[in-house]
Amino acid sequence: MQRMAFFFVLVSVFYSCQPLDIEETEAGTIPQIGDEAWESRALTSDEIQLARKFCRALESKEIAYRRDYIGQELNFNLQYRNCQGQTEASTVKARLVENVVDRHLEFIPAFTPIPFWREVQTIGGQVMGDFCIDLLSNLQVSNTILEGKRKSIFKFSNEKSNFRVQVQRLSQDSDEVNTLEELTIVGLGTGATPQGMVVDRVFLQACDESSDSSNSYYRRQSL
């Protein structure tokens, strides 16, 4: 009964939701493409506590999805802009499944005219990389991860009853941000929305050296 109530509430909300204008969504996206990178430093005790809540919520969501929601459908609002400045928006219905090959959870759309993120965010890979796994193992004490020539700097915050992480990505030999990712998840689960459910994901990437947030490659996927 709880599972049926969960998706009944969600579908009712989603069908009445219209895609937002791209300029409107970007206005609240911090930091911006071309900004200087945040300082790489040790996390404070409060930051570690908040980051742990974020990562535990993702972990809780994966368990709940596998147990209760395989085969269910959700509606996603998609927004997209390419490096030529062409913009599109669409609402896409996708079914939650477990991949029979690698056992990963993913959303499979019936049809999508613009790019769609299929993967279900977990504590490893995707936006977070190894951050959550190392943090929960007491191995991650910095706000920065180095991967090859790329540096990723993480900032966690509360957004009403949700948790948010913003990730600046840049070359290790540069101080200028060329990629921004933002992930907002449900902080306090209810009968309608499980804890850790991703309600908003944003991706911005510079198209060239003159790019800023107004003319970068842009994607947003939200519920």
Side-chain angles (χ1 to χ4, degrees):
M1 178 65 68
Q2 183 180 16
R3 179 171 66 180
M4 292 177 64
F6 167 80
F7 280 93
F8 177 79
V9 172
L10 286 179
V11 170
S12 298
V13 173
F14 297 159
Y15 272 116
S16 64
C17 184
Q18 296 298 319
L20 299 174
D21 179 78
I22 285 179
E23 276 65 31
E24 179 184 349
T25 66
E26 288 177 350
T29 301
I30 302 172
Q32 300 291 305
I33 294 296
D35 281 357
E36 289 188 3
W38 297 315
E39 177 189 5
S40 292
R41 57 172 177 78
L43 295 165
T44 67
S45 58
D46 288 342
E47 288 171 334
I48 289 176
Q49 183 179 19
L50 182 56
R52 282 183 174 274
K53 289 179 179 179
F54 182 99
C55 295
R56 289 297 187 195
L58 285 181
E59 190 174 49
S60 173
K61 183 269 304 287
E62 184 175 6
I63 295 171
Y65 269 13
R66 291 184 185 278
R67 183 185 62 224
D68 298 325
Y69 303 118
I70 297 292
Q72 301 296 326
E73 292 183 330
L74 294 178
N75 283 1
F76 294 85
N77 288 325
L78 310 181
Q79 296 159 52
Y80 169 77
R81 180 182 63 223
N82 63 22
C83 285
Q84 288 70 50
Q86 298 170 321
T87 62
E88 294 186 63
S90 181
T91 299
V92 171
K93 180 181 292 185
R95 182 183 301 273
L96 177 67
V97 304
E98 183 178 46
N99 189 296
V100 296
V101 177
D102 57 22
R103 314 310 299 179
H104 292 163
L105 293 174
E106 57 186 29
F107 285 102
I108 304 298
F111 170 75
T112 176
I114 54 180
F116 176 83
W117 285 301
R118 296 188 177 204
E119 70 269 17
V120 171
Q121 294 294 318
T122 62
I123 62 171
Q126 297 117 37
V127 173
M128 300 307 297
D130 292 330
F131 186 98
C132 281
I133 293 175
D134 288 347
L135 180 79
L136 297 178
S137 301
N138 298 315
L139 299 175
Q140 182 69 32
V141 296
S142 169
N143 67 345
T144 302
I145 287 181
L146 303 179
E147 300 170 294
K149 296 182 178 181
R150 186 176 68 167
K151 178 191 298 184
S152 299
I153 308 176
F154 297 78
K155 179 184 286 186
F156 294 87
S157 61
N158 289 96
E159 179 69 19
K160 297 182 180 178
S161 60
N162 296 332
F163 298 133
R164 172 178 290 172
V165 64
Q166 294 169 325
V167 191
Q168 290 183 333
R169 303 199 196 274
L170 61 157
S171 170
Q172 288 194 41
D173 57 6
S174 171
D175 291 326
E176 190 170 287
V177 176
N178 56 38
T179 303
L180 164 67
E181 294 193 72
E182 185 174 279
L183 198 66
T184 303
I185 66 175
V186 175
L188 299 175
T190 67
T193 55
Q195 184 183 41
M197 183 177 187
V198 176
V199 292
D200 199 15
R201 179 177 177 181
V202 177
F203 179 89
L204 278 168
Q205 187 171 56
C207 293
D208 52 46
E209 293 183 355
S210 64
S211 294
D212 57 27
S213 290
S214 67
N215 60 7
S216 296
Y217 178 90
Y218 171 79
R219 287 176 63 180
R220 185 175 188 179
Q221 187 163 307
S222 59
L223 294 178

